[in-house]
């Protein structure tokens, strides 16, 4: 496989041609916060707005999940402008999240906790007014529970459900603040086309989908 | 709300409409618009039929329908109630008016009463802010609609219905 060499945070690395900066960094133990990116998705959603990096020669930060590696590229994951954007993104996510870590099954393995720690943002950040969605928890599936109040709308479960399994039981519906991951007609997941494979639960970075 | 006979009819009607369209995903919105134009709303069976026709997950159709304001999931009522929540009406208590309508009709926004007499929804400014809070009743904007006036409007509709009932007899 053809490779190109580039520099990320002063570290000289090699990455396959056509690889995105995010995966090149992660493969070389350089962490960049991210929620929505999947390595097997060739058309990234770039919707979580967390993987900001600065690249020499570009005037503004770019999202690492959409940026293809180039020979001689110099990437900085610790630039102040990039971190500021990422911090705002995580703080906005936390502002509409319960952040109920003490009684959450995902605590310790939660991407939100990891990202907040990495960006040095407090989980109980008060920068933005807390507005919660107060949606009912769906425990209709025999395998898992779905708490939409903990969902960050990354879409990982949806991508897994269709790309890997071709089922497409899950998707986004409604608009703006009411947007949520749901099923056709907002039915309980247990009554939808869901086949209970549990792959969506494994893909969920937060406590929104948890095994029972 | 819809019985089996009605469901089959909707499915057949939708199928007939779909014949005019090619099976391209890009046709999703024009298809839905056509179906709504014919049926007045987008029932569950129609959405399922569209999803099958375009060979896309059902949730994708539902996602588009719930995203755009122009699509409705419930049949239109005989009378349409549109509560304005534009800036002026918001300041003048548009939400209180909306709550009054919800309470009186026992439905939420975007829904239709069981007797299909009224459907309730919101609009964002109808351009007559002097009259705030505005409720558009059957395409006619009514001004200063506060909870007491909600009762008044409903009463006048009831009177009308009674009168019609008497004439029929």
């Amino acid at each position: 496989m053809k490779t190109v060499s580039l520099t990320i945070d002063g570290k000289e690395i090699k990455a396959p041609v056509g690889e995105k900066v995010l995966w090149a960094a992660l493969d070389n133990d350089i962490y960049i916060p991210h929620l929505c990116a999947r390595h097997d998705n060739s058309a990234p959603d770039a919707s979580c707005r967390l993987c900001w990096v600065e690249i020499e020669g570009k005037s503004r930060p770019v999202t690492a999940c959409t940026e293809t590696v180039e020979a001689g590229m110099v990437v900085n994951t610790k630039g102040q402008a990039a971190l500021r954007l990422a911090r705002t993104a995580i703080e906005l996510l936390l502002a509409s999240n319960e952040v109920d870590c003490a009684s959450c099954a995902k605590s310790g393995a939660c991407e939100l906790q990891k990202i907040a720690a990495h960006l040095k943002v407090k989980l109980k950040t008060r920068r933005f007014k807390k507005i919660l969605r107060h949606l009912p928890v769906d425990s209709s599936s025999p395998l898992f529970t779905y708490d939409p109040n903990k969902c960050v709308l990354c879409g990982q479960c949806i991508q897994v459900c269709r790309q890997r399994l071709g089922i497409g039981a899950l998707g986004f519906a409604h608009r703006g603040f009411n947007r949520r991951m749901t099923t056709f007609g907002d039915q309980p997941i247990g009554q939808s086309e869901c086949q209970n494979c549990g792959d969506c639960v494994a893909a969920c970075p937060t406590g929104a989908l948890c095994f029972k | 709300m819809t019985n089996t006979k009605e469901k089959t009819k909707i499915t057949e009607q939708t199928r007939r409409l779909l014949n005019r369209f090619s099976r391209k995903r890009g046709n999703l919105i024009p298809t839905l618009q056509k179906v709504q134009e014919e049926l007045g709303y987008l029932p569950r069976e129609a959405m399922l039929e569209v999803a099958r026709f375009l060979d896309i997950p059902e949730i994708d159709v539902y996602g588009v329908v719930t995203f755009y304001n122009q699509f409705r999931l419930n049949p239109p009522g005989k009378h349409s109630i549109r509560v304005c929540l534009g800036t002026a009406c918001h300041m003048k208590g548009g939400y209180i008016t909306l709550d009054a309508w919800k309470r009186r009709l026992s439905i939420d926004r975007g829904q239709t009463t069981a007797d299909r007499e009224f459907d309730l929804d919101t609009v964002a400014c109808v351009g007559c802010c002097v009259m705030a809070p505005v409720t558009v009743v059957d395409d006619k904007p009514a001004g200063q609609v506060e909870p007491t006036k909600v009762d008044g409007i409903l009463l006048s509709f009831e009177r009308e219905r009674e009168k019609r009932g008497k004439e029929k007899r």
Side-chain angles (χ1 to χ4, degrees):
Chain A
M1 199 194 289
K2 269 192 181 169
T3 58
V4 290
S5 19
L6 65 156
T7 317
I8 302 181
D9 289 352
K11 191 175 168 186
E12 191 85 21
I13 64 163
K14 279 190 167 41
V17 175
E19 183 71 301
K20 303 293 181 204
V21 172
L22 174 64
W23 305 111
L26 293 174
D27 285 345
N28 288 279
D29 298 322
I30 299 167
Y31 181 66
I32 299 174
H34 61 102
L35 281 172
C36 68
R38 291 194 69 78
H39 206 168
D40 54 9
N41 186 358
S42 54
D45 288 354
S47 60
C48 70
R49 317 314 285 171
L50 282 166
C51 62
W52 294 103
V53 293
E54 288 170 18
I55 293 176
E56 237 167 58
K58 289 188 193 282
S59 57
R60 286 175 189 169
V62 292
T63 45
C65 66
T66 54
E67 208 62 27
T68 311
V69 291
E70 277 166 39
M73 201 179 226
V74 180
V75 181
N76 178 13
T77 70
K78 297 192 176 80
Q80 281 312 305
L83 288 180
R84 187 158 173 258
L85 284 169
R87 278 192 192 116
T88 303
I90 189 78
E91 281 174 306
L92 282 167
L93 282 176
L94 291 170
S96 56
N97 196 299
E98 279 180 336
V99 194
D100 183 23
C101 301
S103 61
C104 180
K106 197 71 171 230
S107 187
C110 175
E111 284 292 319
L112 284 180
Q113 290 176 327
K114 187 178 169 187
I115 293 166
H118 178 85
L119 293 171
K120 298 189 178 66
V121 168
K122 284 198 185 104
L123 282 165
K124 298 274 177 193
T125 170
R126 283 275 169 264
R127 183 168 159 209
F128 299 112
K129 189 180 161 192
K130 199 105 184 162
I131 307 176
L132 297 174
R133 286 166 282 190
H134 299 298
L135 292 163
V137 176
D138 180 354
S139 47
S140 60
S141 163
L143 202 63
F144 58 89
T145 55
Y146 168 46
D147 184 349
N149 304 302
K150 292 177 180 171
C151 177
V152 289
L153 301 175
C154 67
Q156 295 245 24
C157 50
I158 297 169
Q159 290 180 42
V160 171
C161 194
R162 22 194 95 175
Q163 287 172 0
R164 202 181 296 165
L165 308 155
I167 303 171
L170 306 175
F172 287 126
H174 306 280
R175 184 168 37 146
F177 191 65
N178 294 317
R179 193 145 180 91
R180 72 193 80 135
M181 190 282 280
T182 183
T183 60
F184 178 75
D186 292 322
Q187 296 173 103
I189 292 177
Q191 287 161 38
S192 72
E193 291 177 313
C194 174
Q195 317 266 314
N196 294 312
C197 67
D199 279 18
C200 55
V201 185
C204 184
T206 74
L209 291 167
C210 276
F211 285 112
K212 277 185 175 170
Chain B
M1 205 156 70
T2 39
N3 54 35
T4 332
K5 213 172 137 192
E6 212 176 330
K7 278 182 189 168
T8 340
K9 202 182 147 202
I10 289 167
T11 308
E12 278 168 16
Q13 248 176 316
T14 313
R15 255 182 221 157
R16 219 173 317 124
L17 291 168
L18 290 176
N19 280 334
R20 304 179 207 176
F21 293 93
S22 61
R23 291 171 190 262
K24 275 191 300 199
R25 201 201 154 118
N27 273 338
L28 176 59
I29 289 175
T31 311
L32 291 170
Q33 283 169 327
K34 186 77 204 165
V35 174
Q36 176 158 293
E37 191 188 307
E38 256 350 87
L39 303 177
Y41 72 118
L42 291 166
R44 210 189 137 77
E45 289 69 33
M47 288 192 283
L48 290 173
E49 210 47 49
V50 172
R52 226 167 290 153
F53 182 77
L54 296 174
D55 195 24
I56 56 175
E58 292 152 7
I59 173 70
D60 283 5
V61 177
Y62 184 69
V64 168
V65 170
T66 53
F67 184 88
Y68 292 104
N69 256 336
Q70 60 170 309
F71 295 123
R72 32 182 318 128
L73 289 164
N74 291 299
K78 204 187 277 171
H79 303 291
S80 80
I81 309 291
R82 297 284 174 274
V83 183
C84 182
L85 293 179
T87 313
C89 292
H90 173 87
M91 292 309 291
K92 284 285 204 170
Y95 277 95
I96 299 170
T97 307
L98 177 63
D99 281 342
W101 282 113
K102 280 190 197 170
R103 231 177 6 250
R104 287 288 171 261
L105 300 172
S106 317
I107 51 172
D108 212 335
R109 61 164 104 167
Q111 294 182 336
T112 307
T113 51
D115 58 2
R116 295 202 184 173
E117 200 66 27
F118 297 98
D119 64 65
L120 178 64
D121 215 335
T122 57
V123 284
C125 197
V126 283
C128 49
C129 308
V130 194
M131 292 153 66
V134 172
T135 296
V136 186
V137 182
D138 289 338
D139 296 326
K140 280 192 244 29
Q144 282 87 41
V145 184
E146 273 140 25
T148 43
K149 196 149 176 190
V150 169
D151 293 340
I153 294 168
L154 284 173
L155 197 67
S156 67
F157 276 128
E158 216 167 288
R159 284 264 167 78
E160 230 172 81
R161 218 178 338 169
E162 275 169 21
K163 222 161 73 186
R164 254 183 290 144
K166 267 180 201 163
E167 276 165 17
K168 262 185 200 164
R169 254 179 261 153

